[in-house]
Amino acid sequence: MILGKIAELNVCGIDEAGRGPMAGPVCAASVILPCDFDVSILNDSKKMSEKKRNEAMTAIYTHASAWGIGWASAEEIDQLNILKASLLAMKRSYFNMMERAGDLFDCNSIEVIVDGLYCPDISLKNMKALPRADGLFPAVMAASILAKTARDRMMIRYSWLYPEYEYEKHKGYPTQAHIAILHKNGPSPIQRKKFHLKGEGQLTLF
């Protein structure tokens, strides 16, 4: 884990959550942490318990120098593909962060680290994509946590609208229970129609 004084460089971490589900949006977050942030509470969100994620989420929202959230809908995922939609959500999260930050940061003074292989379409000189950055850089860990918790909460809200799909349990991921529900009920209004199950070709439930 790369810790220490990296936040003093105005490092912005960007990460997404929700590339794998068969339903719902993809969510991205952008975060800049202050140099005195307690990075010991951070990790790749996938390696944290729900309780630890929520505790870290509260600390990030409260103490981050800047943060932003961006979304791409299921319809946009179908239109663009999941990679392009994820990058779009990242772009939206960055501009949401900068809008919320106001005059606190000059974009030229920020180094942006994106988790993954590709960068969103943002005109920045100091931006790079790094695989597994969500386990290396505190700002990217923080972005991972915000994206994951925001999306999970959104899927719980969708479960209030469509209780028969049990989104509060599987969050749209391709679990056996979710696939059984789709066989029974057909697609929900937030279904990703072009979802592909790995190794099985296109999902042809509907």
Side-chain angles (χ1 to χ4, degrees), residues 19 27 31 63 74 83 96 102 165 179:
R19 288 189 63 173
C27 180
V31 179
H63 300 296
L83 173 59
N96 178 253
Y165 289 92
I179 293 172

Side-chain angles (χ1 to χ4, degrees), residues 30-34 37 58-67 105 142 146:
S30 297
V31 179
I32 298 174
L33 296 175
F37 189 88
T58 300
I60 296 163
Y61 280 137
T62 303
H63 300 296
S65 298
W67 60 268
F105 298 99
L146 291 196

Side-chain angles (χ1 to χ4, degrees), residues 22-190:
M22 301 194 302
V26 61
C27 180
S30 297
V31 179
I32 298 174
L33 296 175
C35 60
D36 60 350
F37 189 88
D38 180 10
V39 297
S40 68
I41 67 172
L42 303 176
N43 201 347
D44 176 354
S45 65
K46 297 184 292 296
K47 298 179 180 179
M48 302 173 72
S49 67
E50 182 177 2
K51 179 181 178 181
K52 291 295 185 182
R53 278 197 304 269
N54 287 333
E55 290 173 352
M57 173 199 71
T58 300
I60 296 163
Y61 280 137
T62 303
H63 300 296
S65 298
W67 60 268
I69 301 292
W71 301 86
S73 67
E75 291 82 2
E76 288 175 315
I77 293 169
D78 285 338
Q79 292 169 4
L80 299 173
N81 75 43
I82 185 57
L83 173 59
K84 291 180 180 179
S86 297
L87 294 174
L88 177 60
M90 288 181 176
K91 180 178 181 178
R92 288 169 173 170
S93 76
Y94 175 81
F95 285 111
N96 178 253
M97 179 192 71
M98 295 301 288
E99 181 180 1
R100 294 173 57 85
D103 297 328
L104 287 177
F105 298 99
D106 176 357
C107 64
N108 294 320
S109 68
I110 298 172
E111 179 183 5
V112 178
I113 301 176
V114 181
D115 180 60
L117 296 172
Y118 304 97
C119 292
D121 181 21
I122 305 173
S123 297
L124 295 172
K125 294 181 180 179
N126 300 321
M127 180 168 58
K128 56 187 174 183
L130 295 172
R132 296 183 291 278
D134 55 0
L136 296 173
F137 299 94
V140 186
M141 296 177 196
S144 170
I145 291 165
L146 291 196
K148 170 65 175 170
T149 53
R151 188 183 184 280
D152 282 356
R153 292 182 176 206
M154 181 63 76
M155 294 307 294
I156 290 171
R157 293 187 181 98
Y158 277 125
S159 75
W160 303 342
L161 295 174
Y162 315 113
E164 66 273 25
Y165 289 92
E166 299 183 356
Y167 288 131
E168 76 283 3
K169 296 180 180 178
H170 53 71
K171 309 300 190 295
Y173 283 88
T175 64
Q176 289 185 347
H178 186 191
I179 293 172
I181 289 170
L182 291 175
H183 279 297
K184 178 181 178 182
N185 298 327
S188 80
I190 61 167

